[in-house]
Amino acid sequence: LAIKNHYYKRHGLSLSPLKDLKPLLAIAKKSRKYAWLKESDSIALQESVRNLNMAFNNFFDKTHPARFPKYKSRHGRQSSYHCMSVSVGSDWIKIPKCDPIRARVHREIEGTVKSITLSRTVTGKYYASILIDDGIALPEKRNHIEQDKIMGLDMGLSHIAIASNGDKTPNPRFLIYAAKNLRRKQKALSRTKKGSRGSAKARLLVAKAHERVANARHDFQHKLSKQLIDENQAVAVETLKVKNLLQSKKLAKHIADASWSSLIEKLEYKAVQAGKHLVKINPWFASSKTCSECHHRLDALPLNIRHWECPSCHAQHDRDINAAMNIKQQGIIILKAAGLTVSANG
């Protein structure tokens, strides 16, 4: 990244990470200054260059713009990728240029080990993510779906998930309940001298507090997504523009704590593994202010109105359940348009 930035400032030309920078690794290993690169796995070094190339591609991608690539913090998460000469035992893993590393292998390895990604968290914990080819094909998705096995799902803040059958899952608000503990530890960190031993200890305590919040959130979302996928043949969800919603100063913290995008990601890969359908509804679909009975659409429906009456058919609606029912109906339309058959109710 330093070479690429320097070359652009000096000559006004851009270097390709894969074509121009990747060959420099072999040259750097021969120099005395960068001789330590010989101790590293060559594949891990090449992967870091590929990651740099991906970062620049994301930066120049106009559809999903990302920030300009920056240097990796030594205090942040670290990782390395290894795909050659890797193996796993009952209580060890092996990567190139290292002796076998003791590990708690919590699952029996069945299949061919393809790669191992080592990672170190901010709190100093080490993990090995092992990619295995078990040779088992994914189950095929059903062509016929029962309508009572289709679930429409609306996302909210008071309730993290509102189902079309009327079930509401309360939002655990992990970050809000941990705010007092986080504030106390972050204030203690701000009072320490930068670079001191006390500062390192205080930073570790803050990182552990954030890690507990993240682990609790992931655990809750994994259990919820597994339940939704197991109980239904298809799940329809509304894709929200979370990045735009985070511009709200009043709701940004609550929206980030809810982490709707993470829940949808878990639903997506679990649906693929189980051979189920996940239907994503257009974010501009007016699910809340459309009557699920007669499809009359209101001109406006402020957030503070949680219950409303349809002026056309006089049906009484709970805002969130009505949205979930509309999402389900829209999901059925999309499934039928894809060539699938959906049975009638009952």
Side-chain angles (χ1 to χ4, degrees), residues 176 211 234 317:
I176 304 302
E211 187 179 59
H317 292 300

Side-chain angles (χ1 to χ4, degrees), residues 24-218:
L24 295 179
L25 289 171
I27 300 172
K29 287 180 181 179
K30 297 176 183 179
S31 67
R32 184 176 297 179
K33 184 178 180 180
Y34 298 104
W36 52 271
L37 288 173
K38 295 180 181 178
E39 301 172 7
S40 303
D41 179 15
S42 60
I43 300 296
L45 297 176
Q46 293 172 24
E47 185 67 17
S48 65
V49 179
R50 280 192 288 269
N51 290 340
L52 177 64
N53 185 58
M54 186 184 299
F56 273 104
N57 289 341
N58 292 338
F59 174 70
F60 290 112
D61 186 3
K62 294 182 179 179
T63 56
H64 302 287
R67 294 181 180 179
F68 188 82
K70 61 180 182 179
Y71 301 112
K72 200 172 184 73
S73 169
R74 66 177 65 187
H75 300 300
R77 182 180 178 275
Q78 310 291 331
S79 66
S80 63
Y81 173 82
H82 311 272
C83 62
M84 301 291 290
S85 303
V86 293
S87 55
V88 181
S90 58
D91 59 351
W92 55 268
I93 61 170
K94 179 73 175 69
I95 61 172
K97 299 195 175 183
C98 275
D99 294 331
I101 305 168
R102 285 200 307 167
R104 294 181 183 178
V105 183
H106 67 93
R107 186 179 305 181
E108 187 177 352
I109 305 299
E110 297 179 353
T112 306
V113 178
K114 291 294 185 179
S115 68
I116 296 178
T117 302
L118 298 181
S119 60
R120 179 185 182 276
T121 65
V122 183
T123 57
K125 296 176 182 176
Y126 289 86
Y127 293 93
S129 179
I130 304 168
L131 179 65
I132 301 166
D133 182 7
D134 57 6
I136 302 174
L138 290 172
E140 293 185 4
K141 294 183 178 181
R142 299 166 61 103
N143 292 324
H144 176 75
I145 303 170
E146 300 172 21
Q147 191 168 142
D148 57 350
K149 290 291 184 180
I150 301 175
M151 178 72 74
L153 208 63
D154 183 46
M155 306 289 183
L157 292 178
S158 299
H159 297 86
I160 188 72
I162 301 94
S164 53
N165 60 5
D167 293 340
K168 294 184 177 182
T169 304
N171 185 2
R173 300 181 186 272
F174 297 106
L175 185 61
I176 304 302
Y177 286 117
K180 188 180 291 185
N181 180 40
L182 283 167
R183 183 172 181 269
R184 185 177 66 252
K185 291 179 177 178
Q186 286 170 341
K187 285 178 70 176
L189 173 61
S190 66
R191 288 193 293 266
T192 59
K193 185 180 179 181
K194 189 175 181 181
S196 65
R197 189 177 297 179
S199 177
K201 289 181 180 179
R203 186 188 297 111
L204 182 61
L205 291 175
V206 172
K208 285 183 177 180
H210 279 289
E211 187 179 59
R212 280 193 293 271
V213 173
N215 288 344
R217 185 185 295 113
H218 284 308

Side-chain angles (χ1 to χ4, degrees), residues 210-343:
H210 279 289
E211 187 179 59
R212 280 193 293 271
V213 173
N215 288 344
R217 185 185 295 113
H218 284 308
D219 179 69
F220 168 76
Q221 290 186 348
H222 276 298
K223 290 175 180 176
L224 177 60
S225 58
K226 182 75 164 62
Q227 179 185 352
L228 291 170
I229 294 299
D230 287 347
E231 293 177 353
N232 300 282
Q233 296 173 358
V235 178
V237 294
E238 185 179 21
T239 51
L240 300 168
K241 296 284 186 180
V242 178
K243 190 174 181 180
N244 296 342
L245 293 172
L246 288 174
Q247 302 300 321
S248 170
K249 293 182 179 180
K250 292 183 178 180
L251 299 176
K253 186 176 182 179
H254 301 279
I255 292 170
D257 187 25
S259 191
W260 298 320
S261 299
S262 178
L263 178 59
I264 293 174
E265 285 177 5
K266 292 176 177 63
L267 284 169
E268 190 168 15
Y269 86 79
K270 283 181 171 63
V272 172
Q273 288 180 338
K276 306 291 181 70
H277 296 270
L278 181 72
V279 184
K280 293 184 179 181
I281 309 301
N282 192 306
W284 304 113
F285 174 62
S287 58
S288 296
K289 57 184 180 181
T290 302
C291 176
S292 57
E293 299 292 336
C294 67
H295 306 293
H296 174 80
R297 180 174 171 178
L298 299 177
D299 294 330
L301 187 65
L303 277 174
N304 61 332
I305 298 177
R306 309 313 301 175
H307 295 83
W308 59 282
E309 180 182 346
C310 177
S312 178
C313 66
H314 303 288
Q316 299 290 331
H317 292 300
D318 176 291
R319 178 194 182 103
D320 297 326
I321 296 176
N322 175 67
M325 293 173 69
N326 283 324
I327 290 170
K328 176 181 177 178
Q329 293 173 7
Q330 194 70 11
I332 292 173
I333 293 172
I334 294 173
L335 288 170
K336 288 182 176 179
L340 306 176
T341 57
V342 180
S343 66

